[in-house]
Amino acid sequence: MTELTPAFLDGAKALLGPKGWSMEADALKQAASPWRGTWPGETPFLAMPGSTDEAASLVRLCAQHRIAMVPQGGNTGLVDGGTPHGEITVSMRRMTRVRAVDTLNNSLTIEAGAPLVNAQNAADEANRLFPLSLGSEGQATIGGLISTNAGGVAVLRYGMMRDLILGLEVVLPSGEVWDGLSGLRKNNTGYDLKHLFAGAEGTLGLITAATLKLFPKVAKATAWVICKTPQDVVDLLALTRDHAGDTVTSFEIIPANAIEMVQKDVPDTRDPAPSALPWRVLVEVSMAREDQARDTLMSALSDALERGLADNAIIAESGQQAASFWHIRETIPLSKRAYGTAINHDVSVPVSAIPEFLDATEKKIHAVVSEADIVAFGHVGDGNLHYSACEPKGASDPILSNHADEITRIVHEQAMAFGGSISAEHGVGRLKRDELARIRPPAATETMRAIKAALDPLGIMNPGRVVSV
Amino acid sequence: MTELTPAFLDGAKALLGPKGWSMEADALKQAASPWRGTWPGETPFLAMPGSTDEAASLVRLCAQHRIAMVPQGGNTGLVDGGTPHGEITVSMRRMTRVRAVDTLNNSLTIEAGAPLVNAQNAADEANRLFPLSLGSEGQATIGGLISTNAGGVAVLRYGMMRDLILGLEVVLPSGEVWDGLSGLRKNNTGYDLKHLFAGAEGTLGLITAATLKLFPKVAKATAWVICKTPQDVVDLLALTRDHAGDTVTSFEIIPANAIEMVQKDVPDTRDPAPSALPWRVLVEVSMAREDQARDTLMSALSDALERGLADNAIIAESGQQAASFWHIRETIPLSKRAYGTAINHDVSVPVSAIPEFLDATEKKIHAVVSEADIVAFGHVGDGNLHYSACEPKGASDPILSNHADEITRIVHEQAMAFGGSISAEHGVGRLKRDELARIRPPAATETMRAIKAALDPLGIMNPGRVVSV
């Protein structure tokens, strides 16, 4: 644990004010406890700056005293990136203000500590859409989502979080503030710093606010489709896009065994169309006019049924029915955990490689643990699968846990073999830092280290995450 | 001019082979002559590597001998970024191969020296769309377009060039190759290097190939609309998006005086709907189904006419008629030059600020040169205007030229005052380097300099462009 001198502590307390810091045991423990209980850490000091100026003064003080800090949003990360392990914690929870909404420019400026849902709501109130959407949206913050370049269920059409930012305000490791807030869509005035801070997991600076892109609101048509094979699923995606162009906003794959899990675990879920076939697709088409969206989705699915790419398809008749489809999808991660041990992975491969990847990886895992239940679900439209090997609930012998490392090695090697990634949307943190340093082209890791050393020469911004220097 | 030792020359000639270099006076002169004749430079050696390996060997040799180089694509840049001024030239003209097309993954891998039209054609042959489109597409290359983060007429829907790349292959200033080619849509494995090289104008590395995003093909509905005021134009954009969502792919503003210019200069152009009102909008809605696109555009325009936001509107009845609308738009830059002196600018402001920016800037220019003819046209949907002050053809006294610096100062100060940018899509190069260093927040310029020094410590990659170190 970092030792804090009286000089640092006095200075920090004075500049943050009484609401801006805590050293109470409970508060420190909570700050060091990630969302899912994994990787509990420790922290000697919790800073909660109330403004960009306060954040900048704090970082300057840290630089002066060589104090390492961990920027923290909702602490919902899954790669041990935002949990302190001895460093002081800089929580953005007090900076949640919507600074500006510009409906003609379709932009929204909001502070980093605001949870995603605040941005969605502010957009909605202005009759606009902020499209990023994911399970933890009530807790995950704008700053954290930018720092980890979050994905979610609308990436297919709207891109990742980095694609949704127009400008950033960042406290640099020196304590200087870079005011890069901007509503401009075109601004070629040098290296694109916002894209460097986005996805850097707080290792290059502390994001304090962002200007986000807003979009026109759209009406959705949602369908639940039953398919025989992953190849049919991938072909269905191409066919749907033939009919709908890029108005296909979500295209999620759900295996039948995940539905069984969810049904056992969550009493109010109902399989919309029970079938012995192994795959479901949740597809959403979004257009300005509901009739057009529905019409387009219907024509795509008729075509798919005719061509044998789908066995059955149900278009939701109401928002409520669409929500019930999504409920199944969103409940999988929770149910999976309730179900027993699960070795989880966040991989991506080119969309075209999904069928072969699924087939080959399952075979290799079954060669190690023949009983392993494979649950591969998620954003097939982006080539991104949340790939888990699960132990059936109540299995007496924890056979899977004993092979966790081997299974992870197989999944990651397979992803790489198909030109994929072992960290599609969750990031690097401490969890995948060393494995990625091994896997990445050395030229990339060297370049990242050079950037880290150049921008944070004291090594005080979220040290040890993403790259070791 | 850089002096080249026999050791360097012998090494370079040997590794490039007889087709891979030239020292002929004509070839050297051409390599140092930018597209529009501005900023003629000089170069002692023209390298034309035929492969990534050759390019890497050349850069290694340059690093060894401390030889500065200028990467060059189609040499169509407008900010003196790709023209050698004494450095050797590394032309990518021989690396034009399409390496792979993956229709299920919607991606295309192509070498950096290929002109944009090759990527468009390769996509088209695969029944896909590569959406970037701009005037110089027959000559501007993929590598140059990425390095300058080019824009064009479809940014409103598809984004800038950086938004269209999935992966890059880059020769680093050390001569090491970073193979970051990837068809992945989600890949959070560290700092996003592709976004650092994109827009870096060749100052951080030499881009040799790229994997680009492809999109479903769409059908277009195109309209020519007549408006009274810039405020009506901006409101029309919002209204069109209310009807069409984000299927509005282009929204270009054209002033009536530009049409007069084009008509005088280019005999085969016809004003589709002569009117005394001062503004035209070229609007395009793109959807998978032509009937839907047309229907949607029609309903938006009916609404606009009813509300008085538009005075007249013509929807093109054929691709040919749509092309004739676009011809007027695309001919403006050429006509403007034929017309006489024009002081040109590439500025952006938030879309909502366009009306006030246009009004205030024109007043300030007229206070200096009351006869100046203002031609402001372009990508109003992105807040990006090509803003020119023109001298009427045949004016006996070149009054405008004498005030060029003052007019540029006014336009740039105005753009900044409205939260805008003085380099929206053309980049920095040598032309705007020092002015941007003055205008940018110092924290941004310092960060850029630190990155440049860290990644190119010898200062041999396109030195003096973007930032001075």
Side-chain angles (χ1 to χ4, degrees):
Chain A
M1 192 108 94
T2 306
E3 275 194 45
L4 304 175
T5 60
F8 172 79
L9 278 175
D10 291 350
K13 290 174 186 175
L15 74 87
L16 291 164
K19 282 191 205 158
W21 64 274
S22 176
M23 291 181 77
E24 278 176 34
D26 278 1
L28 296 181
K29 192 179 168 197
Q30 210 207 325
S33 303
W35 203 38
R36 295 197 176 168
T38 38
W39 323 289
E42 52 176 359
T43 188
F45 186 82
L46 170 62
M48 296 168 283
S51 68
T52 303
D53 278 353
E54 284 181 15
S57 300
L58 176 71
V59 174
R60 259 198 312 278
L61 190 73
C62 287
Q64 204 181 324
H65 291 266
R66 307 287 193 271
I67 300 295
M69 68 202 103
V70 175
Q72 192 173 84
N75 206 4
T76 58
L78 297 172
V79 292
D80 197 8
T83 301
H85 291 276
E87 304 90 347
I88 76 161
T89 304
V90 184
S91 166
M92 299 306 289
R93 69 184 70 174
R94 286 177 65 218
M95 292 185 62
T96 60
R97 207 158 49 90
V98 173
R99 292 195 192 161
V101 182
D102 183 339
T103 50
L104 280 179
N105 192 54
N106 281 303
S107 60
L108 162 73
T109 301
I110 189 167
E111 291 181 341
L116 172 54
V117 70
N118 291 21
Q120 293 168 339
N121 290 344
D124 192 59
E125 280 163 27
N127 194 32
R128 293 290 182 275
L129 170 72
F130 183 67
L132 198 86
S133 174
L134 37 74
S136 59
E137 59 199 24
Q139 192 159 359
T141 63
I142 295 301
L145 294 160
I146 294 170
S147 292
T148 56
N149 186 28
V153 296
V155 171
L156 184 58
R157 165 62 191 91
Y158 296 102
M160 308 277 284
M161 189 65 178
R162 72 165 65 254
D163 302 309
L164 301 174
I165 55 178
L166 291 169
L168 291 182
E169 180 186 81
V170 180
V171 180
L172 304 178
S174 62
E176 257 189 300
V177 176
W178 170 51
D179 179 2
L181 291 177
S182 158
L184 301 177
R185 267 146 178 91
K186 286 185 169 177
N187 188 19
N188 278 344
T189 54
Y191 306 151
D192 197 312
L193 301 182
K194 69 177 183 297
H195 276 299
L196 192 56
F197 293 112
E201 303 184 19
T203 62
L204 301 178
L206 173 68
I207 296 172
T208 48
T211 304
L212 306 177
K213 288 183 196 170
L214 300 182
F215 290 81
K217 271 193 187 171
V218 280
K220 289 174 181 177
T222 310
W224 181 269
V225 189
I226 293 175
C227 293
K228 276 195 204 72
T229 66
Q231 188 62 54
D232 286 350
V233 171
V234 167
D235 290 341
L236 176 65
L237 172 63
L239 182 77
T240 308
R241 295 182 114 188
D242 281 346
H243 284 263
D246 51 12
T247 61
V248 185
T249 39
S250 289
F251 198 92
E252 300 278 313
I253 193 171
I254 302 168
N257 59 355
I259 299 175
E260 281 168 42
M261 280 186 181
V262 169
Q263 282 195 298
K264 280 189 195 154
D265 233 61
V266 186
D268 65 335
T269 48
R270 205 178 59 80
D271 186 344
S275 159
L277 293 177
W279 298 99
R280 312 288 180 274
V281 173
L282 188 47
V283 54
E284 209 154 75
V285 167
S286 303
M287 296 171 81
R289 282 166 47 178
E290 197 180 348
D291 59 324
Q292 286 182 344
R294 222 183 141 72
D295 201 32
T296 302
L297 182 55
M298 191 111 56
S299 78
L301 294 175
S302 306
D303 196 0
L305 289 166
E306 235 167 71
R307 292 175 193 227
L309 291 181
D311 185 72
N312 190 7
I314 302 171
I315 297 187
E317 291 298 327
S318 64
Q320 204 184 352
Q321 195 180 4
S324 76
F325 296 171
W326 274 108
H327 182 62
I328 297 174
R329 161 66 185 82
E330 294 295 3
T331 313
I332 299 173
L334 294 164
S335 300
K336 210 174 42 179
R337 247 172 315 140
Y339 214 63
T341 305
I343 322 285
N344 300 317
H345 309 91
D346 166 42
V347 296
S348 64
V349 293
V351 175
S352 48
I354 284 179
E356 220 182 320
F357 167 79
L358 283 173
D359 186 50
T361 309
E362 179 159 338
K363 279 188 185 133
K364 279 182 193 267
I365 291 175
H366 282 163
V368 177
V369 182
S370 58
E371 310 88 327
D373 207 2
I374 307 298
V375 180
F377 69 101
H379 323 296
V380 75
D382 317 313
N384 177 199
L385 297 171
H386 298 308
Y387 192 101
S388 302
C390 303
E391 196 139 35
K393 202 171 193 169
S396 55
D397 206 19
I399 183 167
L400 202 67
S401 318
N402 298 334
H403 293 87
D405 289 351
E406 201 175 348
I407 288 172
T408 292
R409 193 182 47 74
I410 290 171
V411 176
H412 287 182
E413 278 180 6
Q414 284 292 304
M416 297 303 291
F418 285 96
S421 169
I422 68 160
S423 181
E425 62 174 7
H426 294 165
V428 183
R430 287 162 37 120
L431 182 69
K432 296 184 182 171
R433 185 196 63 192
D434 295 337
E435 187 174 3
L436 278 166
R438 233 182 6 255
I439 289 175
R440 248 193 239 113
T445 301
E446 282 159 36
T447 303
M448 290 179 200
R449 284 185 178 143
I451 293 167
K452 170 71 177 174
L455 269 49
D456 179 21
L458 302 174
I460 56 173
M461 292 302 298
N462 218 9
R465 281 74 174 177
V466 185
V467 282
S468 60
V469 179
Chain B
M1 192 108 92
T2 306
E3 276 194 45
L4 304 175
T5 60
F8 172 79
L9 278 175
D10 290 350
K13 290 175 186 174
L15 72 88
L16 290 164
K19 280 189 204 159
W21 64 274
S22 176
M23 291 182 75
E24 277 175 36
D26 278 0
L28 296 180
K29 191 178 170 198
Q30 209 206 326
S33 304
W35 202 39
R36 294 198 177 169
T38 38
W39 323 290
E42 52 176 358
T43 187
F45 187 81
L46 170 63
M48 297 167 281
S51 68
T52 303
D53 278 354
E54 284 181 15
S57 301
L58 176 72
V59 174
R60 260 196 314 276
L61 190 73
C62 287
Q64 206 182 322
H65 292 266
R66 308 285 194 273
I67 301 295
M69 67 202 104
V70 175
Q72 192 174 84
N75 206 4
T76 57
L78 297 173
V79 292
D80 197 8
T83 300
H85 291 275
E87 305 90 346
I88 76 160
T89 304
V90 184
S91 166
M92 299 306 289
R93 69 183 71 173
R94 285 178 65 219
M95 293 185 62
T96 60
R97 207 157 49 91
V98 173
R99 292 195 192 160
V101 181
D102 183 339
T103 50
L104 281 179
N105 192 56
N106 281 303
S107 59
L108 162 73
T109 300
I110 189 166
E111 291 181 341
L116 172 53
V117 70
N118 290 23
Q120 293 168 340
N121 290 344
D124 191 60
E125 280 163 28
N127 193 33
R128 294 289 182 276
L129 170 72
F130 183 68
L132 199 86
S133 174
L134 38 73
S136 59
E137 59 198 23
Q139 191 159 357
T141 63
I142 295 300
L145 293 161
I146 295 172
S147 292
T148 56
N149 186 29
V153 296
V155 171
L156 185 58
R157 164 61 191 89
Y158 297 102
M160 308 278 281
M161 188 65 178
R162 70 165 66 254
D163 303 308
L164 302 174
I165 55 178
L166 292 169
L168 292 182
E169 181 186 81
V170 180
V171 181
L172 304 178
S174 62
E176 258 189 299
V177 176
W178 169 51
D179 178 2
L181 290 176
S182 159
L184 301 178
R185 265 146 179 91
K186 286 185 169 177
N187 188 20
N188 277 344
T189 55
Y191 307 150
D192 197 311
L193 301 182
K194 69 177 182 298
H195 276 299
L196 192 56
F197 293 111
E201 303 183 19
T203 62
L204 301 177
L206 173 67
I207 295 172
T208 48
T211 305
L212 306 177
K213 288 183 196 168
L214 300 182
F215 291 79
K217 271 192 186 169
V218 280
K220 289 174 181 178
T222 309
W224 181 269
V225 190
I226 293 174
C227 295
K228 276 194 204 71
T229 67
Q231 188 62 53
D232 285 350
V233 170
V234 168
D235 290 340
L236 176 65
L237 171 63
L239 182 76
T240 308
R241 297 183 111 187
D242 281 346
H243 283 265
D246 51 13
T247 61
V248 185
T249 40
S250 289
F251 198 93
E252 301 278 313
I253 193 170
I254 302 167
N257 59 353
I259 299 175
E260 280 168 42
M261 281 186 180
V262 169
Q263 282 194 297
K264 279 189 197 156
D265 233 59
V266 187
D268 64 335
T269 48
R270 204 179 58 81
D271 186 344
S275 160
L277 293 176
W279 298 100
R280 311 289 180 272
V281 173
L282 188 47
V283 54
E284 208 155 75
V285 167
S286 303
M287 296 171 82
R289 282 167 47 178
E290 197 180 346
D291 59 323
Q292 287 182 344
R294 220 182 142 72
D295 201 32
T296 302
L297 182 56
M298 191 111 56
S299 78
L301 294 176
S302 305
D303 196 1
L305 289 165
E306 236 167 71
R307 292 175 193 228
L309 291 181
D311 185 72
N312 191 5
I314 303 170
I315 297 186
E317 291 298 327
S318 64
Q320 204 184 351
Q321 194 180 3
S324 76
F325 296 171
W326 275 108
H327 181 62
I328 296 173
R329 160 66 185 84
E330 294 295 4
T331 312
I332 298 173
L334 293 164
S335 300
K336 209 174 44 179
R337 247 171 316 141
Y339 215 62
T341 305
I343 321 286
N344 300 318
H345 310 90
D346 167 41
V347 297
S348 64
V349 292
V351 175
S352 47
I354 284 178
E356 219 181 322
F357 167 79
L358 283 173
D359 186 51
T361 309
E362 180 159 336
K363 280 188 184 133
K364 279 182 194 268
I365 291 175
H366 282 162
V368 177
V369 183
S370 59
E371 311 86 328
D373 208 1
I374 306 298
V375 179
F377 69 101
H379 323 296
V380 75
D382 316 313
N384 177 198
L385 296 170
H386 298 307
Y387 192 101
S388 302
C390 303
E391 195 140 38
K393 204 171 191 171
S396 55
D397 205 18
I399 183 166
L400 204 66
S401 319
N402 298 335
H403 293 87
D405 289 349
E406 199 174 350
I407 288 172
T408 292
R409 193 182 50 72
I410 290 171
V411 176
H412 287 182
E413 278 179 4
Q414 284 293 304
M416 297 304 291
F418 286 96
S421 169
I422 67 159
S423 181
E425 62 173 8
H426 294 165
V428 183
R430 288 163 35 121
L431 182 68
K432 296 185 183 171
R433 185 195 65 191
D434 295 336
E435 186 174 4
L436 278 166
R438 231 180 10 253
I439 288 177
R440 252 193 237 111
T445 301
E446 283 159 36
T447 303
M448 291 179 199
R449 283 185 177 144
I451 293 168
K452 169 71 176 174
L455 269 49
D456 179 20
L458 302 174
I460 56 175
M461 293 300 299
N462 216 9
R465 282 73 173 178
V466 184
V467 282
S468 60
V469 178

